[in-house]
Amino acid sequence: MGTDIIIFIVAVLFGIFIYWRESNGNGAYRFINKIVNSKELQMSADNPKGFVYKQAFIPRLIFIVSIVLIAALILEFLTPISVFASYYGVSAFASFAAGSLLGTYLANIVIKSSKVIEEQSESLEDKFENVVEKGKEFIDDLKTRDAKVVEDTSEDIKTEPEPKVNEKSARDRLKDKGLM
């Protein structure tokens, strides 16, 4: 189980490396495209698409699995390591393919987010400054409201009517009306 985890982590790093290399340049994909396709069907010069870069899931999966399969076949026939002879070899093959595919998607997220952050960095600074200014205004409003509330409550305390001493009690008023 420990070797599968190590193989999976190495495969994720391998997938990140493949995606990063293709995001910088797609010479191999462009070369294969020239060999396979006619002049009318060849990709344009400014198209950044590669084997895994800006590719849909199925072509990306096929490329990763075929690369891992070629590497496994080379290991099988040129070295004493037998990849397909046991469960562990097949498990390592599957772990490497899945990890590489996951690594390409992780690299995609990182590259896209870094581009968005670079594009939005100036507007983010402006937004942050606006938020700070609004926060200062809000705090000033709270301070003035608190001061008004304190003044209002102190006025309420001062203006409370004092009880009248000369007033008759309720009992006396009822006696005057003859109800008691």
Side-chain angles (χ1 to χ4, degrees):
M1 186 66 176
T3 56
D4 277 345
I5 293 172
I6 293 170
I7 289 171
F8 186 77
I9 292 170
V10 168
V12 168
L13 294 174
F14 177 71
I16 290 171
F17 176 74
I18 287 176
Y19 193 87
W20 176 73
R21 287 296 300 150
E22 277 203 354
S23 69
N24 290 333
N26 59 351
Y29 187 77
R30 195 172 299 279
F31 177 72
I32 301 262
N33 188 276
K34 280 185 180 179
I35 292 173
V36 174
N37 294 326
S38 65
K39 188 74 171 172
E40 298 86 30
L41 296 176
Q42 290 178 5
M43 60 192 283
S44 63
D46 60 342
N47 191 352
K49 188 190 249 184
F51 289 109
V52 292
Y53 184 70
K54 296 206 177 206
Q55 199 64 265
F57 175 73
I58 298 296
R60 190 180 290 195
L61 176 70
I62 290 171
F63 174 73
I64 294 292
V65 170
S66 62
I67 291 295
V68 173
L69 182 63
I70 290 169
L73 288 173
I74 290 171
L75 276 174
E76 182 80 28
F77 293 115
L78 297 180
T79 64
I81 300 171
S82 56
V83 176
F84 300 110
S86 67
Y87 166 77
Y88 298 113
V90 174
S91 174
F93 170 77
S95 292
F96 199 84
S100 298
L101 191 63
L102 179 69
T104 60
Y105 281 104
L106 287 175
N108 182 19
I109 291 170
V110 169
I111 288 175
K112 280 187 178 180
S113 64
S114 64
K115 286 180 182 177
V116 168
I117 289 172
E118 286 176 8
E119 291 173 0
Q120 299 291 331
S121 65
E122 292 177 9
S123 64
L124 287 176
E125 291 172 1
D126 294 337
K127 289 178 184 178
F128 182 72
E129 288 178 11
N130 289 340
V131 167
V132 169
E133 292 299 322
K134 287 181 181 178
K136 287 179 182 177
E137 291 173 6
F138 180 71
I139 290 172
D140 290 340
D141 288 344
L142 286 178
K143 287 180 181 177
T144 57
R145 286 183 193 164
D146 289 342
K148 288 180 183 177
V149 169
V150 168
E151 290 173 5
D152 291 342
T153 55
S154 63
E155 289 175 5
D156 290 341
I157 292 171
K158 292 179 184 176
T159 59
E160 285 184 14
E162 295 180 14
K164 297 181 181 178
V165 181
N166 297 337
E167 229 178 77
K168 290 184 178 181
S169 68
R171 184 180 191 107
D172 291 337
R173 286 190 305 249
L174 287 174
K175 279 184 184 178
D176 289 343
K177 289 182 182 176
L179 296 174
M180 217 165 142

